[in-house]
Amino acid sequence: MTIPGLKLTSPTAELAEQFLTWRHRPDVTHWFLQQRIEDTEDYVADWAAYDDHDHHRAVAVLDGVMVGQATLGVVDGMGQSGHEVEFVGREGRLSYFVDPDHAGRGIATALARDALANAFGRLGLRRVQAGCFAENVASWRVLEKLGMRREQHGVKDSFHAELGWLDGYTYAVLAEEWQG
């Protein structure tokens, strides 16, 4: 699905400043693991330089306004550390979020799809995983829409700053399963 006026691009300091105008709203932080960013100057400085070997970020810009982001962290899978170089850093951890004023329009799906295409294309990863609170229905619907499988339902395994211990879901997809 194409969203008119939506552009997925690399982060910049200017986009980070736009992001911070809505990032600390309670309706945004509700499902975050880290509720607040304490040092916003450092955050803005680091944001644009985020794309490196182990971390990749894309932002969604709709008609010139930053409305979401996806982050893909490259990690070693369980048991990979200490093995041959070709096995190291072959998995990804996906996260994403969207300005609630623009939610429900397919932006999170577009961001996550782009991150998965990057993971299995340019980065050559073998597997990508994402987690969410079980009560965050919008998030796990995005993951299922993209063909990721629910691999784990942890009972009260995820701590929510406002709600306490909640159930969590873990989703994943392998490169050979990815349908793009």
Side-chain angles (χ1 to χ4, degrees), residues 53-54 74-77 79-91 123-126:
H53 174 72
D54 294 327
V74 178
V75 297
D76 294 344
Q80 285 182 325
S81 298
H83 288 279
E84 298 296 321
V85 172
E86 67 264 18
F87 296 116
V88 176
R90 297 301 310 271
E91 297 190 12
L123 299 174
L125 301 184
R126 60 171 288 282

Side-chain angles (χ1 to χ4, degrees), residues 10 13 20 23 34 40 46 49 55 60 64 83 89-90 92 100-101 108 124 129 131 133 142 175:
S10 298
L20 289 173
R23 195 264 184 222
Q34 178 186 358
T40 57
D46 290 344
H55 297 91
H83 288 279
R90 297 301 310 271
D101 293 341
Q129 180 176 311
F133 291 106
V142 166

Side-chain angles (χ1 to χ4, degrees), residues 90-111:
R90 297 301 310 271
E91 297 190 12
R93 301 286 186 266
L94 172 65
S95 63
Y96 50 85
F97 50 91
V98 173
D99 178 343
D101 293 341
H102 299 277
R105 299 172 67 182
I107 295 168
T109 302
L111 280 163

Side-chain angles (χ1 to χ4, degrees), residues 109-154:
T109 302
L111 280 163
R113 181 178 285 117
D114 182 71
L116 290 172
N118 184 37
F120 298 130
R122 181 174 68 93
L123 299 174
L125 301 184
R126 60 171 288 282
R127 174 183 162 89
V128 174
Q129 180 176 311
C132 64
F133 291 106
E135 292 183 28
N136 188 352
V137 176
S139 188
W140 58 258
R141 281 189 177 160
V142 166
L143 300 171
E144 289 181 357
K145 190 183 306 182
L146 294 173
M148 295 182 80
R149 111 186 111 270
R150 185 180 300 168
E151 293 188 334
Q152 183 255 348
H153 176 167

Side-chain angles (χ1 to χ4, degrees), residues 8-75:
L8 303 182
T9 188
S10 298
T12 65
E14 177 188 352
L15 292 173
E17 289 174 9
Q18 285 185 26
F19 166 59
L20 289 173
T21 65
W22 54 268
R23 195 264 184 222
H24 288 112
R25 288 174 31 187
D27 55 346
V28 175
T29 62
H30 183 70
W31 294 117
F32 283 9
L33 295 177
Q34 178 186 358
Q35 299 292 313
R36 295 205 53 83
I37 297 170
E38 297 305 325
D39 190 338
T40 57
E41 275 187 38
D42 283 349
Y43 184 82
V44 169
D46 290 344
W47 213 64
Y50 196 76
D51 200 39
D52 64 20
H53 174 72
D54 294 327
H55 297 91
H56 306 271
R57 178 179 282 153
V59 295
V61 178
L62 183 63
D63 299 324
V65 177
M66 193 279 202
V67 296
Q69 78 162 18
T71 302
L72 181 69
V74 178
V75 297

